[in-house]
Amino acid sequence: MKRPSYPWFKILIWLFACFQAMSAHSISFQNSEHLSIENLKKFMDWFTYSPHPMGSKEQVKIANDLHATLKKMNLKVSEMKFDVDVPNLDSLKFGGKVAMATLTKKVTGINIIATKKGTDNCSIILGGHYDTKYFSQFKFVGANDGGSSTVLLLELARVLQKTKAKKESYLQKCDIHFIFFDGEEAFLNDWNDGLNYLGIQDNTYGSKEFVKKQVKNKNGIKFYANKKINLVIILDMVGHKNQKLFFTKGSDTKYADTFIQHAKDLDISNFPYQIEDDHISFAQEGIPFLHIIDWKNLDEWHTSNDTIDIISFEKIKNLGNSIKYFLMSERK
């Protein structure tokens, strides 16, 4: 006998599955006063569970989890949603299979912002991207490219919220904003393909939208949330086991020198070339920045081998401690 069909029941099951996929779950963490390798590993397992490009349901789930976890850390948390036109990978022009697909489509990105309040009219932004690049040919989880900066920002947010600092330090005086930018990765294969084929900048969507909509200009001084932006620190690809970090060209030399003075167990130096990343929109507004990236260990970059196997959590922790010591130094 044929089993009776209940379409409404299937719809309910589907709706429940969607709700489960997109509902927020805070990531568990141990709450010591120091950066924890155990936490970094746990956050990385969460980040690399599956690919999550901007606009995907997987990325919405990641954003919801981030929001819930940062709130559990007792930080003030907000999200900035934005709609942007991106290359439509369903289009025949870009290797898709839908004959009538338009060349672009609109997707929604989500920047997650967590804030530790300071006492003075100053602010520092610590940022990095938390999306993974889309590849149809293989599973790309981005343990280093996206994952390393995301897990470090999470752990830094937890630790710095608890850290006691001198009254004259950046950490005490300035608002510290931890910003997880969506959509740094290009949808097309190469960074400049969007400009070449469509006349659109197919990358750094979240940071571009943040600067355009959230950064205010008052008499030539740039503000966010009614406080002057003193410095933006952008992290990317910072967790390789053979880690070699650079301040890329354009990074503020005064802040870089201070950073190096307080760095511990860290191989970091100046790099003579500019690399485009989420700092670019801030730089175009004349905001001082430090762009910290490993541009030497690239064998696994944008390949299926960018997994936890190439990560050194000890080196991520050392960078985190160096950032902490830098922020605890006297504000100049």
Side-chain angles (χ1 to χ4, degrees):
M1 183 178 73
K2 183 178 179 181
R3 186 186 297 257
S5 176
Y6 302 104
W8 57 268
F9 182 72
K10 293 179 180 178
I11 291 171
L12 284 175
I13 293 293
W14 179 80
L15 288 172
F16 178 76
C18 288
F19 175 78
Q20 287 290 96
M22 298 175 70
S23 60
H25 299 280
S26 64
I27 314 161
S28 63
F29 53 85
Q30 63 92 2
N31 210 12
S32 74
E33 295 181 0
H34 306 290
L35 275 87
S36 161
I37 286 180
E38 177 186 337
N39 283 350
L40 292 170
K41 288 180 177 179
K42 191 171 293 186
F43 296 157
M44 185 65 81
D45 287 339
W46 158 80
F47 185 94
T48 57
Y49 180 75
S50 66
H52 43 94
M54 182 175 75
S56 66
K57 69 178 186 298
E58 291 83 5
Q59 181 71 338
V60 173
K61 174 68 166 59
I62 289 283
N64 290 341
D65 290 353
L66 266 177
H67 195 137
T69 304
L70 290 161
K71 281 194 75 171
K72 193 174 177 181
M73 294 173 178
N74 297 318
L75 290 144
K76 178 185 175 184
V77 187
S78 62
E79 61 181 41
M80 174 193 164
K81 291 186 177 180
F82 55 92
D83 294 326
V84 288
D85 291 319
V86 305
N88 186 356
L89 301 182
D90 290 330
S91 167
L92 296 178
K93 183 176 180 66
F94 303 126
K97 298 180 180 180
V98 181
M100 300 300 292
T102 57
L103 292 179
T104 64
K105 66 177 181 179
K106 198 169 289 294
V107 303
T108 299
I110 310 170
N111 292 334
I112 303 295
I113 305 160
T115 299
K116 178 187 183 299
K117 297 295 288 182
T119 59
D120 279 12
N121 178 30
C122 62
S123 65
I124 292 178
I125 291 173
L126 289 172
H129 74 94
Y130 74 104
D131 60 308
T132 58
K133 184 170 176 63
Y134 173 78
F135 289 99
S136 60
Q137 309 95 321
F138 55 86
K139 181 180 179 181
F140 180 73
V141 296
N144 194 34
D145 189 4
S148 59
S149 55
T150 300
V151 304
L152 178 52
L153 284 176
L154 257 177
E155 183 64 356
L156 272 173
R158 183 191 70 79
V159 170
L160 294 181
Q161 174 69 356
K162 302 162 67 71
T163 299
K164 305 294 184 186
K166 294 179 181 178
K167 289 183 178 180
E168 297 305 315
S169 68
Y170 294 104
L171 188 58
Q172 190 70 20
K173 291 280 190 180
C174 301
D175 285 3
I176 309 294
H177 302 289
F178 306 90
I179 307 185
F180 300 80
F181 291 114
D182 204 353
E184 185 267 353
E185 297 286 7
F187 281 81
L188 297 179
N189 286 336
D190 292 328
W191 189 258
N192 291 319
D193 280 351
L195 285 174
N196 295 334
Y197 295 130
L198 299 168
I200 64 173
Q201 186 182 345
D202 176 32
N203 50 62
T204 62
Y205 292 99
S207 53
K208 279 185 299 189
E209 290 295 308
F210 178 85
V211 171
K212 182 167 67 175
K213 295 176 179 175
Q214 301 294 333
V215 174
K216 308 302 179 187
N217 186 345
K218 298 179 183 179
N219 300 318
I221 299 174
K222 304 307 188 297
F223 287 77
Y224 169 59
N226 297 314
K227 289 193 177 185
K228 177 186 174 183
I229 305 172
N230 292 62
L231 176 66
V232 175
I233 302 175
I234 296 297
L235 309 174
D236 200 358
M237 297 167 58
V238 295
H240 199 281
K241 60 189 177 183
N242 299 320
Q243 182 195 77
K244 169 58 181 164
L245 298 176
F246 298 102
F247 297 114
T248 60
K249 185 177 180 180
S251 293
D252 187 276
T253 55
K254 179 189 76 172
Y255 284 118
D257 288 345
T258 303
F259 189 101
I260 289 172
Q261 288 171 17
H262 292 88
K264 295 209 178 177
D265 302 315
L266 199 67
D267 185 359
I268 187 166
S269 58
N270 293 313
F271 191 64
Y273 304 105
Q274 184 183 84
I275 298 173
E276 293 187 5
D277 206 336
D278 279 317
H279 63 288
I280 290 296
S281 292
F282 295 96
Q284 290 169 346
E285 294 297 319
I287 299 170
F289 70 86
L290 293 177
H291 178 220
I292 299 175
I293 192 170
D294 180 346
W295 203 243
K296 181 179 181 182
N297 296 289
L298 300 176
D299 288 347
E300 300 87 4
W301 179 51
H302 287 179
T303 74
S304 60
N305 294 322
D306 187 357
T307 65
I308 294 177
D309 293 338
I310 71 166
I311 297 298
S312 167
F313 294 99
E314 185 71 33
K315 291 182 186 296
I316 295 176
K317 178 183 175 182
N318 290 344
L319 173 59
N321 279 327
S322 296
I323 293 171
K324 175 183 172 182
Y325 301 143
F326 167 74
L327 293 175
M328 291 176 67
S329 67
E330 184 175 344
R331 181 186 166 202
K332 298 177 182 178

